[in-house]
Amino acid sequence: MTELDEKIRDVFPEESIYKTSTRYNMFAGVNVPSFIKDWLIKRYSNENEEVDKEALFAFLEKHIPGKDSDIKSRLIKGESIQILVRVIVESDLKTGIFKFSIPDIGIKNNEGRISEYVMRTGNIKEGENWGIVTLDYVQPEGREKGYAELVKFKPFKPYTPDFDYYCAARSRFSTKEWIDFVIRCMEYNPDSTQFESYTQKLLFISRLLIFCEPNLNIIELAPKGTGKSYIFNNLSKYGWMISGGKVTRAKLFYDMASNKPGIIPNYEFVAMDEIKTIVFGNQEELQGALKGYLENGSFTMGQAKQTSTAGLILLGNIDLDSNRRPINKKYFQELPEVFHDTALLDRFHGMIEGWYLPRITEDLKLEGYSLNVEYFSEILSMQRGMSKYASIVTDMLEIPKEADTRDTTAIIRLATAYLKLLFPNVNSVMDVDRDEFETFCFKPAYEKRKIVRAQLSIQDMEYSPKMPDIKVRSFNG
């Protein structure tokens, strides 16, 4: 056990968990994200970190079914079913009925209804919900078809983190220890020989920026095998991953034909993975909607104007030369045509150059202590609504009057996200070490926006590659 292992276990005795690849092998064939796996391992582990495999397997078999389960037939036979699962809720204005689907076991939205009592409790919302559900089968009289009814729902939220305690705990770690700690919370090994520097580690945790900062928009281009998909698919129930298929304005924002909100209003962040494989319908319509939303976090559909805090990250592969640098110097040409519009690209705050990140190897898999993923993701979600961090960042910076507003907004938003990740315990500029802020928050934020501006200038002569002369103020805390 390393010194950092001991510190994590001592500082977070209830919230930490010992992770090994062999433990996760217990979930082979079970399609559940990391925040569910961690919760189950913690639930069935003793003080010596030994897992009661028999009890865990019994829980999986009873409460986490797969697509080949016989739940539908058991419901029809009159059995009441209780499972831990992902439920997608939709409202039908024409009938006044709330419908649900459970894709993981093949229950479609025309086969499921939610009882009025469950909707009145307020514990379940439109869109995706993770929780423990109780299902019964209803066979109405007459010609109406039978359906599964959701009669009980308990949200999966095993932790309500004490944020003050989390902040107090931060003071017991050095900044470099905390960076390693955050990498562990992402389920990776910060001591891996794959990591060559703390600059590289800082770039690696940049993938978490949209987890804690609202309306942050990022592009990441990276070679295959660098772990892009895993992080956005497994670390939080508050995000949504689009992988392939067709994306339209209705699917993303609001479907006026069915009066249903799209993906963006229902999540805290949306990742478009393997973006070259996604088909974008009516590109001009989608471009217009994205430009408005990425600019101010709102969109108009018909007579309704709605807002959302969801950030957007585009994840794409990029071909490298023998020196592991992009063959195509025009990075954004690696994106689908809908994102070739420079006015749209200008609304992305920063870019992650994924070719500087390590390829995922066995050595990068964590063997040690970290925070339970569910606890960590709840902390990041809580930080989204905390305005003090942006205020601190703004007070720390000298911004010229002639600075481009989009550049300024991007740098502040990115630096704020870094501050939340790395220095959650600060409450004012007096708590901030100027040099650490410049190294770990401002410079990486500035560089990520600089990449966007440089690429815009290559693609469109209207854009200058010159960045505003924004600096960190010359006082120290």
Side-chain angles (χ1 to χ4, degrees):
M1 187 182 298
T2 67
E3 188 176 322
L4 185 55
D5 278 314
E6 292 179 356
K7 183 176 285 191
I8 294 170
R9 186 189 62 180
D10 293 344
V11 174
F12 295 103
E14 299 299 323
E15 302 84 4
S16 63
I17 183 172
Y18 189 77
K19 297 190 180 186
T20 69
S21 56
T22 54
R23 281 187 166 192
Y24 280 95
N25 289 340
M26 293 186 295
F27 295 94
V30 181
N31 185 26
V32 290
S34 293
F35 57 83
I36 299 289
K37 294 175 184 176
D38 278 6
W39 175 73
L40 287 171
I41 289 174
K42 188 74 173 179
R43 177 174 178 171
Y44 291 108
S45 295
N46 61 24
E47 293 180 355
N48 297 320
E49 303 294 346
E50 297 167 336
V51 180
D52 184 343
K53 293 183 180 180
E54 187 175 330
L56 188 149
F57 291 151
F59 182 95
L60 289 174
E61 185 175 345
K62 184 176 180 180
H63 297 296
I64 302 187
K67 285 188 176 180
D68 58 349
S69 68
D70 60 349
I71 281 182
K72 286 187 177 183
S73 62
R74 287 162 58 194
L75 282 171
I76 293 173
K77 291 175 184 177
E79 186 178 343
S80 187
I81 306 289
Q82 187 181 71
I83 50 178
L84 173 58
V85 75
R86 175 174 64 106
V87 180
I88 299 175
V89 177
E90 301 176 17
S91 58
D92 188 331
L93 291 177
K94 294 179 181 178
T95 62
I97 294 172
F98 284 94
K99 300 179 179 180
F100 75 89
S101 61
I102 305 180
D104 294 336
I105 58 175
I107 294 181
K108 302 174 183 177
N109 64 354
N110 62 351
E111 298 175 317
R113 296 186 186 180
I114 304 175
S115 72
E116 291 183 12
Y117 169 76
V118 171
M119 291 307 304
R120 283 202 307 270
T121 62
N123 289 330
I124 195 167
K125 59 179 176 60
E126 286 219 36
E128 183 179 277
N129 299 259
W130 273 95
I132 298 172
V133 303
T134 302
L135 304 176
D136 288 336
Y137 184 70
V138 176
Q139 179 61 66
E141 294 181 2
R143 294 186 176 182
E144 189 177 355
K145 296 179 180 179
Y147 55 87
E149 184 175 39
L150 196 159
V151 294
K152 289 183 182 178
F153 180 80
K154 182 180 180 181
F156 180 78
K157 197 168 184 178
Y159 294 103
T160 303
D162 183 337
F163 188 72
D164 291 337
Y165 180 85
Y166 178 79
C167 291
R170 166 64 181 92
S171 62
R172 297 179 60 179
F173 296 77
S174 69
T175 297
K176 289 188 175 180
E177 281 181 330
W178 191 258
I179 290 173
D180 286 350
F181 167 74
V182 171
I183 290 174
R184 282 170 172 252
C185 292
M186 297 169 72
E187 304 192 316
Y188 290 101
N189 172 24
D191 298 321
S192 167
T193 55
Q194 293 291 96
F195 284 118
E196 299 174 356
S197 66
Y198 271 91
T199 299
Q200 191 183 35
K201 289 181 177 181
L202 196 61
L203 186 65
F204 191 79
I205 69 173
S206 298
R207 290 169 167 170
L208 294 179
L209 298 179
I210 65 167
F211 285 62
C212 62
E213 178 66 11
N215 296 114
L216 182 62
N217 310 305
I218 297 176
I219 298 168
E220 178 181 345
L221 296 175
K224 297 175 182 178
T226 53
K228 300 186 296 296
S229 305
Y230 184 84
I231 288 169
F232 299 100
N233 241 342
N234 285 276
L235 298 190
S236 175
K237 60 178 179 284
Y238 298 116
W240 183 257
M241 172 84 81
I242 300 174
S243 299
K246 186 174 183 179
V247 171
T248 62
R249 184 178 70 169
K251 184 175 181 179
L252 269 187
F253 294 103
Y254 195 89
D255 189 335
M256 292 170 57
S258 59
N259 289 307
K260 290 188 295 189
I263 296 170
I264 282 177
N266 282 314
Y267 294 94
E268 292 183 349
F269 62 86
V270 176
M272 292 187 180
D273 191 28
E274 299 285 353
I275 195 161
K276 286 184 179 179
T277 67
I278 298 174
V279 177
F280 294 91
N282 197 329
Q283 294 192 16
E284 289 186 5
E285 181 182 75
L286 188 55
Q287 279 180 346
L290 282 168
K291 284 178 187 177
Y293 178 73
L294 299 186
E295 183 75 17
N296 52 41
S298 65
F299 58 92
T300 302
M301 297 289 155
Q303 300 298 314
K305 184 174 183 178
Q306 298 191 26
T307 61
S308 173
T309 64
L312 179 64
I313 183 164
L314 309 182
L315 303 170
N317 294 325
I318 190 168
D319 294 326
L320 306 181
D321 60 23
S322 58
N323 296 315
R324 288 190 60 79
R325 294 295 179 268
I327 294 173
N328 188 351
K329 302 307 178 185
K330 296 182 178 180
Y331 303 158
F332 295 153
Q333 285 191 350
E334 300 294 327
L335 299 172
E337 188 178 348
V338 67
F339 291 105
H340 288 183
D341 185 323
T342 52
L344 174 56
L345 290 167
D346 194 18
R347 287 158 166 82
F348 281 87
H349 300 112
M351 179 178 159
I352 296 173
E353 296 175 307
W355 49 92
Y356 291 115
L357 294 175
R359 186 173 174 83
I360 303 303
T361 62
E362 291 298 309
D363 183 44
L364 264 172
K365 293 180 179 179
L366 177 61
E367 301 276 339
Y369 279 91
S370 76
L371 283 185
N372 185 308
V373 165
E374 174 68 9
Y375 178 91
F376 184 59
S377 68
E378 286 291 336
I379 287 287
L380 299 183
S381 179
M382 291 170 67
Q383 288 183 297
R384 294 176 67 86
M386 299 179 181
S387 58
K388 66 177 181 179
Y389 297 100
S391 177
I392 292 170
V393 169
T394 303
D395 288 343
M396 291 289 295
L397 299 178
E398 288 183 358
I399 301 172
K401 290 183 178 180
E402 67 275 11
D404 183 275
T405 298
R406 286 196 184 135
D407 291 335
T408 303
T409 299
I411 291 167
I412 290 175
R413 208 163 283 182
L414 288 163
T416 299
Y418 278 115
L419 191 70
K420 289 176 178 179
L421 272 182
L422 301 178
F423 306 98
N425 52 325
V426 300
N427 290 301
S428 72
V429 293
M430 304 303 293
D431 300 327
V432 182
D433 180 281
R434 181 191 181 279
D435 292 338
E436 285 203 323
F437 174 80
E438 185 163 31
T439 299
F440 297 108
C441 300
F442 172 69
K443 283 185 177 178
Y446 189 91
E447 288 302 317
K448 283 174 180 55
R449 177 58 186 179
K450 185 178 179 180
I451 298 166
V452 173
R453 178 159 280 284
Q455 287 297 312
L456 288 173
S457 70
I458 293 173
Q459 200 163 318
D460 187 339
M461 292 181 62
E462 182 181 333
Y463 290 89
S464 166
K466 186 177 180 181
M467 287 283 288
D469 190 23
I470 298 174
K471 296 178 180 179
V472 178
R473 293 186 186 276
S474 58
F475 61 84
N476 182 18

